[in-house]
Amino acid sequence: MNHSHRLTIAAVAMAAVAWAPGAAMAAKNCETLVLGSAISLTGKYSTNGEHAKNGYEFAIKKINEAGGVKVGNKCYFLKVKYYDDESTPARGAQLAERLINQDKVQFMLGPYSSGLTKAIAPVTEKYRVPMVEAEGASRSLFNKGYRYLFAVLSTSEQYLASAITLAADVAKKNGKKPSDVRIAIAVENDPFSLDIRAGVLEDAAKYGMKVVVDDKLPRDLSDMTATLTKVKALKPDVLIVSGHSKGAATVTRQVGELKINVPMIAITHCEAADITGKFGKTAEGFLCSTQWAETLSYKDPLFGSASNYEKEFKAAFPQYKNKTVPYQTAQASAAVYVFKDAFERAGSFDREKVRDALAATDLMTFYGRIKFSKAGNNIAKPMVLRQVQNGKYVVVAPPEYASHKLVWPRKAM
Amino acid sequence: MSQIIGNINILIEAPVFNLSLLLDGLMIGAVFALSAYGLALVWGVMNVKNLAQGDFVIMGGYTAWVLAQNGIHPLFGVPVAFVLLWGIGWVIYVTVIRRVIDQDLFTSLLATFGLAIMFQQILNLFFGSDTQTADAGFPSIFLFDGQVSVPQVKLIAFVLAALLATAVILFMKRSRMGQAIRATAQDPRAARVLGINTDKVYAFTFSLNAAICGAAGALVAMIWVIQPFYGITYSIRAFVVVTAAGFGNLPGVIAAGLGMGVIEQFGGFILGATFQQALVVGLLLLVLIIRQIQQARVRQVVQ
């Protein structure tokens, strides 16, 4: 109850803020450009769908406040038409058709999750509608030759590969060979987590590291004791785990329960599972991969620095006041910003021209640099590793953007 | 393959890990046994195959979670979930299940499948789709130089599960209602003729099932994680256990649940987690094939 009440207040506040400059701009006759998005507002992705939607809305508010998108001599306010895809791919594809055919939407923002993006991309491709997406990281999206799909985030095989590089660095520093490093991998058996595994295996092979445990956890499994008992017996140097929020929560709890003593543990979805809040000390020393962190030193003219983005976003959406702003939100905002940049460079709303402008994007943003490969994925932004130190997430890799030093080895609590 | 052999070698060279897996398996199996136990009751007595079994478990889990959020220790979630789910089970019986008992197999499957979807969405509306967990805050007990760890919360879950199961078995054997339930299971018409209110028996059985699942769910929230859509896991395992044990055989259900837990742990260790559940389902298939052959033989004798 309380939650929805706060939401209403936020909505009213936002409307008020958006109204004031809007009224001033109306004199300048800004027209409205409608983008379309099918996004998960109900169903299993609803939490993250909401995060993404708020990211879109915040970027639109910032762009409209700054005078909208300028194309030719005219200015345009952005607006998004949303449909709820109920977290089901089939529904997402249907809604994309509806947005394009009935609502005559010319440009699309992506849905939440790789699965939904995979379902919608063929539709936007068929109608030649450019789509900038921020929440689909699976690398299978970028080997289909799509021309109209652009993604601002790093692809999934990069998620934990940086942990392998870090482990190699640590080994060198301690006078050991990187090839002495032994790795245990446990990932969920779904396309996204398997991509992460593939990236880790690739980098491990590069260094000649040995993989001693390589478990794929079935989707229905909420228990990792068998795998972790094996880890306990084999004593690897690195433990890599990825299995969405469930995997993060399960591994953190059971590492504590079984007192697993691995010097480096790298996982995904720490924030989504809130491992620091739920398990406190056990989470200490865990490495968490993230697309973005508010302490990074990126900035741009619209949002300012990453930390400024966080501050202003929290002011606009008070329901995030006591949380870290999720990267899902930041990358959604970045996607809208990429569209604005492309519209202005194209100087037109012709879909082909906008597509070519998108393909030529080379933009520094608060979220990191954005430059698309031929396949449409962002190749300019590295994945970030944060470590839990004293209950807080601090950036430890890549070293050039890091604010803190890696604590190694991790001590079992 | 070399990894599998390596894993077997670990178990031979360091036998202490066998103990570790065995204990974990038993403790995990106890929780599966509980939800399977409820299913065996409903299936055996009412011939309703409840596909919403796992969702009762998850509802129980959220009960413990809500308590923990409000500063009450989640262990109290076990009795609270028992009572709360009893009530929910009764309402579900009166509104839905009562109408499908006399119908054929598919009606009850469809109805309970619909219920499962409804429960998931309601939980999602109320609590959101984040995975949640209620931390009991108990440390682990370490044996053999830390090689074997027994999380206290799992131990408590095991004891509670055992107590609950014993109570239900005694209740079925000794009490008047228990006798009525067993009589109804054997022959509902005869039971009615002898003055047993079968409608009441059904309502009681279904509520009891929901309550047991709820208690199991509170344990699940403390041991693993819950999410509105995780119920299906527990439904499937309950079906596997009941199918393997046969629903007329309540102690058998408990043994099968424990056995499944242990096999899962050893399977996961030796073959890798990928085959942890595949192994269990494979065993179920084997049991069914053996049963089929045995029954075919019986039929031949009768002819």
Side-chain angles (χ1 to χ4, degrees):
Chain A
M1 250 316 86
N2 200 5
H3 188 70
S4 69
H5 201 72
R6 252 186 290 154
L7 266 178
T8 328
I9 294 173
V12 171
M14 248 179 50
V17 173
W19 174 251
M25 284 297 163
K28 277 171 67 187
N29 270 337
C30 277
E31 287 175 33
T32 304
L33 175 73
V34 180
L35 310 172
S37 177
I39 197 115
S40 309
L41 300 176
T42 56
K44 61 179 169 181
Y45 296 137
S46 56
T47 316
N48 283 322
E50 192 71 38
H51 289 329
K53 182 179 173 228
N54 292 340
Y56 290 150
E57 286 300 309
F58 178 68
I60 283 166
K61 173 171 129 38
K62 289 290 287 181
I63 289 169
N64 291 354
E65 273 173 22
V69 177
K70 290 172 200 79
V71 169
N73 299 324
K74 281 188 172 168
C75 63
Y76 295 84
F77 286 146
L78 295 180
K79 206 184 140 201
V80 182
K81 181 145 186 80
Y82 296 104
Y83 284 122
D84 174 16
D85 62 30
E86 296 155 24
S87 308
T88 43
R91 186 91 182 113
Q94 240 173 40
L95 291 172
E97 292 256 1
R98 177 155 144 195
L99 280 164
I100 294 166
N101 288 331
Q102 287 181 24
D103 300 313
K104 304 289 174 207
V105 159
Q106 304 284 311
F107 305 100
M108 295 269 286
L109 287 165
Y112 179 78
S113 87
S114 296
L116 267 300
T117 312
K118 238 181 245 180
I120 289 176
V123 179
T124 50
E125 201 66 22
K126 182 171 95 187
Y127 293 105
R128 295 163 184 263
V129 169
M131 173 158 80
V132 179
E133 62 104 347
E135 315 286 351
S138 172
R139 64 171 173 180
S140 59
L141 282 165
F142 308 103
N143 57 16
K144 305 257 189 313
Y146 291 142
R147 279 190 82 235
Y148 297 85
L149 176 72
F150 299 93
V152 299
L153 74 179
S154 307
T155 46
S156 47
E157 78 273 13
Q158 291 170 268
Y159 269 50
L160 286 172
S162 41
I164 298 304
T165 316
L166 197 60
D169 289 348
V170 170
K172 269 185 232 157
K173 214 187 286 169
N174 295 329
K176 281 173 46 182
K177 281 188 295 206
S179 56
D180 291 339
V181 175
R182 295 158 77 242
I183 305 172
I185 306 175
V187 298
E188 195 170 316
N189 207 351
D190 70 307
F192 171 78
S193 309
L194 289 176
D195 276 359
I196 292 177
R197 173 177 168 271
V200 168
L201 287 180
E202 222 168 81
D203 277 34
K206 215 166 63 192
Y207 288 109
M209 297 174 179
K210 200 173 169 226
V211 177
V212 290
V213 176
D214 183 9
D215 268 5
K216 296 182 209 94
L217 310 164
R219 240 172 69 104
D220 287 345
L221 196 68
S222 51
D223 177 53
M224 287 180 64
T225 27
T227 304
L228 289 177
T229 307
K230 218 162 18 183
V231 168
K232 200 169 189 171
L234 292 165
K235 299 193 179 62
D237 302 290
V238 187
L239 170 63
I240 302 273
V241 176
S242 173
H244 306 273
S245 305
K246 181 176 70 176
T250 309
V251 73
T252 314
R253 166 174 272 167
Q254 298 193 333
V255 156
E257 280 180 357
L258 301 173
K259 217 176 189 176
I260 304 291
N261 215 342
V262 177
M264 187 185 279
I265 301 180
I267 69 174
T268 60
H269 298 84
C270 299
E271 298 85 355
D274 189 21
I275 59 164
T276 50
K278 284 192 190 118
F279 306 108
K281 271 193 160 164
T282 316
E284 199 61 23
F286 272 57
L287 287 169
C288 306
S289 80
T290 182
Q291 293 276 0
W292 176 81
E294 69 286 353
T295 50
L296 288 164
S297 53
Y298 304 133
K299 62 174 152 215
D300 67 52
L302 182 68
F303 297 101
S305 64
S307 63
N308 189 55
Y309 173 87
E310 201 213 11
K311 204 178 74 201
E312 288 190 20
F313 180 79
K314 280 186 176 178
F317 292 85
Q319 69 265 38
Y320 290 87
K321 211 170 96 195
N322 300 319
K323 296 190 239 178
T324 343
V325 173
Y327 66 73
Q328 284 86 353
T329 304
Q331 58 205 25
S333 297
V336 182
Y337 187 41
V338 163
F339 252 135
K340 173 193 187 288
D341 172 69
F343 288 145
E344 291 182 348
R345 276 186 295 109
S348 120
F349 289 119
D350 178 76
R351 288 200 304 229
E352 283 306 310
K353 281 189 186 148
V354 172
R355 190 220 86 93
D356 292 343
L358 280 171
T361 298
D362 187 355
L363 185 66
M364 189 62 205
T365 71
F366 76 97
Y367 171 71
R369 204 166 137 225
I370 295 169
K371 187 174 160 58
F372 300 116
S373 75
K374 240 180 122 78
N377 58 320
N378 183 5
I379 45 172
K381 184 186 79 70
M383 270 315 274
V384 177
L385 276 182
R386 295 196 291 181
Q387 188 171 36
V388 180
Q389 294 183 3
N390 299 319
K392 292 218 159 55
Y393 296 104
V394 297
V395 177
V396 294
E400 56 270 38
Y401 302 105
S403 58
H404 287 66
K405 272 214 151 64
L406 173 76
V407 172
W408 188 95
R410 172 189 177 274
K411 282 187 209 65
M413 291 285 166
Chain B
M1 197 61 214
S2 67
Q3 272 195 351
I4 294 176
I5 294 167
N7 293 334
I8 295 174
N9 276 337
I10 296 172
L11 289 181
I12 296 169
E13 284 163 20
V16 70
F17 286 111
N18 287 300
L19 181 65
S20 166
L21 291 173
L22 181 70
L23 285 178
D24 264 318
L26 288 178
M27 291 186 289
I28 289 166
V31 178
F32 295 149
L34 271 189
S35 61
Y37 194 90
L39 182 70
L41 269 181
V42 167
W43 194 337
V45 177
M46 307 162 68
N47 199 23
V48 167
K49 287 140 197 85
N50 180 23
L51 288 177
Q53 197 73 0
D55 301 285
F56 285 141
V57 173
I58 298 298
M59 278 198 268
Y62 273 102
T63 313
W65 178 74
V66 168
L67 288 185
Q69 292 301 102
N70 291 305
I72 302 167
H73 198 280
L75 258 189
F76 289 109
V78 178
V80 174
F82 190 89
V83 174
L84 187 72
L85 266 290
W86 183 288
I88 292 174
W90 189 80
V91 171
I92 296 298
Y93 174 78
V94 172
T95 48
V96 180
I97 305 296
R98 177 187 272 162
R99 284 156 231 276
V100 301
I101 287 184
D102 302 331
Q103 312 286 323
D104 62 8
L105 170 70
F106 288 102
T107 318
S108 76
L109 278 180
L110 275 179
T112 52
F113 185 56
L115 281 173
I117 294 175
M118 212 179 72
F119 290 149
Q120 289 163 11
Q121 297 298 342
I122 290 174
L123 287 174
N124 192 27
L125 274 181
F126 273 98
F127 302 114
S129 61
D130 286 336
T131 46
Q132 304 291 5
T133 165
D135 210 17
F138 297 138
S140 296
I141 303 166
F142 294 100
L143 308 167
F144 298 100
D145 201 18
Q147 295 293 6
V148 176
S149 56
V150 182
Q152 279 184 26
V153 62
K154 279 189 191 168
L155 197 63
I156 292 170
F158 183 80
V159 172
L160 283 179
L163 283 178
L164 198 58
T166 321
V168 175
I169 290 177
L170 283 179
F171 171 81
M172 295 300 260
K173 286 243 149 80
R174 301 278 163 81
S175 76
R176 182 89 189 118
M177 191 56 167
Q179 286 172 345
I181 290 176
R182 284 188 296 144
T184 310
Q186 278 178 8
D187 190 336
R189 251 178 76 191
R192 268 196 292 270
V193 169
L194 291 172
I196 291 172
N197 184 346
T198 49
D199 187 49
K200 220 172 177 177
V201 166
Y202 289 148
F204 186 92
T205 309
F206 197 78
S207 310
L208 180 64
N209 165 45
I212 296 175
C213 285
L219 297 174
V220 165
M222 284 184 284
I223 303 176
W224 297 300
V225 293
I226 48 167
Q227 205 247 12
F229 303 96
Y230 286 168
I232 183 77
T233 314
Y234 300 96
S235 297
I236 290 175
R237 289 188 202 207
F239 271 87
V240 169
V241 169
V242 174
T243 315
F247 48 73
N249 178 5
L250 293 182
V253 167
I254 294 171
L258 294 178
M260 193 176 87
V262 174
I263 291 168
E264 266 198 25
Q265 289 299 304
F266 277 94
F269 190 95
I270 294 169
L271 302 176
T274 326
F275 300 104
Q276 192 159 335
Q277 281 174 308
L279 192 72
V280 172
V281 181
L283 275 179
L284 172 70
L285 201 65
L286 206 67
V287 169
L288 289 179
I289 292 171
I290 293 170
R291 283 251 175 88
Q292 195 64 31
I293 293 169
Q294 282 174 338
Q295 279 178 350
R297 226 180 263 150
V298 172
R299 248 178 252 137
Q300 273 168 359
V301 172
V302 172
Q303 280 164 3

Short mmCIF file of all heavy atoms in Angstrom, two decimals, chain B residues 9 17 54 67 101 119 144 158 197 301:
data_model
loop_
_atom_site.label_atom_id
_atom_site.label_comp_id
_atom_site.label_asym_id
_atom_site.label_seq_id
_atom_site.Cartn_x
_atom_site.Cartn_y
_atom_site.Cartn_z
N ASN B 9 36.85 -40.56 -7.12
CA ASN B 9 38.09 -40.71 -6.36
C ASN B 9 38.09 -39.89 -5.08
O ASN B 9 38.57 -40.34 -4.05
CB ASN B 9 39.30 -40.31 -7.22
CG ASN B 9 39.75 -41.47 -8.08
OD1 ASN B 9 39.47 -42.63 -7.75
ND2 ASN B 9 40.39 -41.17 -9.18
N PHE B 17 33.59 -36.81 2.97
CA PHE B 17 32.64 -36.10 2.10
C PHE B 17 31.38 -36.92 1.85
O PHE B 17 30.33 -36.39 1.58
CB PHE B 17 33.32 -35.71 0.79
CG PHE B 17 34.28 -34.57 0.95
CD1 PHE B 17 35.64 -34.76 0.82
CD2 PHE B 17 33.81 -33.30 1.29
CE1 PHE B 17 36.51 -33.71 0.99
CE2 PHE B 17 34.68 -32.25 1.47
CZ PHE B 17 36.04 -32.46 1.32
N GLY B 54 3.15 -27.01 -4.92
CA GLY B 54 4.33 -26.19 -4.71
C GLY B 54 3.99 -24.75 -4.38
O GLY B 54 4.75 -24.07 -3.68
N LEU B 67 7.01 -12.40 8.32
CA LEU B 67 7.29 -12.33 9.76
C LEU B 67 8.70 -11.78 9.99
O LEU B 67 8.92 -10.89 10.81
CB LEU B 67 7.16 -13.70 10.40
CG LEU B 67 5.74 -14.26 10.55
CD1 LEU B 67 5.79 -15.58 11.30
CD2 LEU B 67 4.83 -13.28 11.26
N ILE B 101 -14.10 -32.79 -7.35
CA ILE B 101 -13.76 -34.12 -6.82
C ILE B 101 -14.39 -35.24 -7.63
O ILE B 101 -13.74 -36.22 -7.98
CB ILE B 101 -14.20 -34.23 -5.35
CG1 ILE B 101 -13.28 -33.40 -4.49
CG2 ILE B 101 -14.15 -35.68 -4.89
CD1 ILE B 101 -13.58 -33.53 -3.02
N PHE B 119 -2.24 -18.31 -7.86
CA PHE B 119 -1.42 -18.08 -6.66
C PHE B 119 -0.13 -17.34 -7.03
O PHE B 119 0.27 -16.40 -6.36
CB PHE B 119 -1.06 -19.39 -5.98
CG PHE B 119 -2.22 -20.07 -5.32
CD1 PHE B 119 -2.27 -21.45 -5.23
CD2 PHE B 119 -3.26 -19.33 -4.79
CE1 PHE B 119 -3.34 -22.09 -4.62
CE2 PHE B 119 -4.34 -19.95 -4.18
CZ PHE B 119 -4.38 -21.34 -4.11
N PHE B 144 34.61 -32.81 11.98
CA PHE B 144 35.79 -33.30 11.25
C PHE B 144 36.62 -32.15 10.68
O PHE B 144 36.81 -32.03 9.48
CB PHE B 144 35.38 -34.24 10.11
CG PHE B 144 34.68 -35.47 10.58
CD1 PHE B 144 33.30 -35.56 10.53
CD2 PHE B 144 35.41 -36.53 11.10
CE1 PHE B 144 32.66 -36.70 10.97
CE2 PHE B 144 34.76 -37.66 11.54
CZ PHE B 144 33.38 -37.75 11.49
N PHE B 158 14.93 -30.44 9.73
CA PHE B 158 14.81 -31.90 9.72
C PHE B 158 14.01 -32.37 10.92
O PHE B 158 13.09 -33.19 10.80
CB PHE B 158 16.22 -32.52 9.74
CG PHE B 158 16.22 -34.01 9.66
CD1 PHE B 158 16.06 -34.65 8.44
CD2 PHE B 158 16.37 -34.78 10.80
CE1 PHE B 158 16.06 -36.03 8.36
CE2 PHE B 158 16.36 -36.16 10.73
CZ PHE B 158 16.20 -36.79 9.50
N ASN B 197 -19.32 -38.05 7.31
CA ASN B 197 -19.56 -36.90 6.44
C ASN B 197 -18.34 -36.72 5.54
O ASN B 197 -17.36 -36.09 5.91
CB ASN B 197 -19.80 -35.66 7.31
CG ASN B 197 -20.14 -34.45 6.47
OD1 ASN B 197 -19.96 -34.46 5.26
ND2 ASN B 197 -20.65 -33.42 7.12
N VAL B 301 -1.65 -63.75 -13.94
CA VAL B 301 -2.06 -64.76 -12.97
C VAL B 301 -3.58 -64.75 -12.82
O VAL B 301 -4.24 -65.77 -12.84
CB VAL B 301 -1.36 -64.51 -11.61
CG1 VAL B 301 -1.94 -65.44 -10.56
CG2 VAL B 301 0.13 -64.71 -11.76
#
